[in-house]
Amino acid sequence: MGTVVLSGTVVLVVLGFGHPLYWLVAVAVLFLYVRYGLGAAEPSSSPAPGPAPAAAPTSYKAYRERRDLQAKWERRYRRERPLRHRSDESGK
């Protein structure tokens, strides 16, 4: 992604010798890339908001606790949304 943005910026700068408006567009593209695109392109950036996948449990007790908690949430979901749960079951 970065290569495409940088090569596009170079093309806009070269075209800018005839039309200075292209220079402004090149600056805007670089600004938007640095502001919004640079972090999304790096896999080591901060994790996305929301529940993160948990690490594998290190013991059977940790596994059981996690499994029981997941079952609890699934029962609660089925209890609070019975129609949605039935449609999920029929789709399988």
Side-chain angles (χ1 to χ4, degrees):
M1 177 68 183
T3 316
V4 173
V5 171
L6 290 177
S7 61
T9 304
V10 169
V11 168
L12 287 172
V13 167
V14 170
L15 292 174
F17 289 111
H19 301 283
L21 182 63
Y22 287 137
W23 286 342
L24 294 175
V25 173
V27 169
V29 166
L30 281 178
F31 173 76
L32 291 174
Y33 176 68
V34 168
R35 179 76 187 248
Y36 300 107
L38 203 55
E42 296 176 359
S44 63
S45 65
S46 64
T58 56
S59 68
Y60 183 69
K61 182 179 178 184
Y63 162 74
R64 274 195 343 236
E65 289 173 356
R66 182 160 166 75
R67 182 194 63 190
D68 293 343
L69 184 64
Q70 180 68 30
K72 174 186 157 189
W73 281 106
E74 287 175 1
R75 286 190 302 270
R76 179 179 178 188
Y77 181 84
R78 277 183 260 146
R79 183 176 64 241
E80 292 178 354
R81 298 171 181 85
L83 295 177
R84 193 175 295 172
H85 174 68
R86 272 189 234 131
S87 64
D88 289 346
E89 288 292 320
S90 66
K92 290 184 177 178

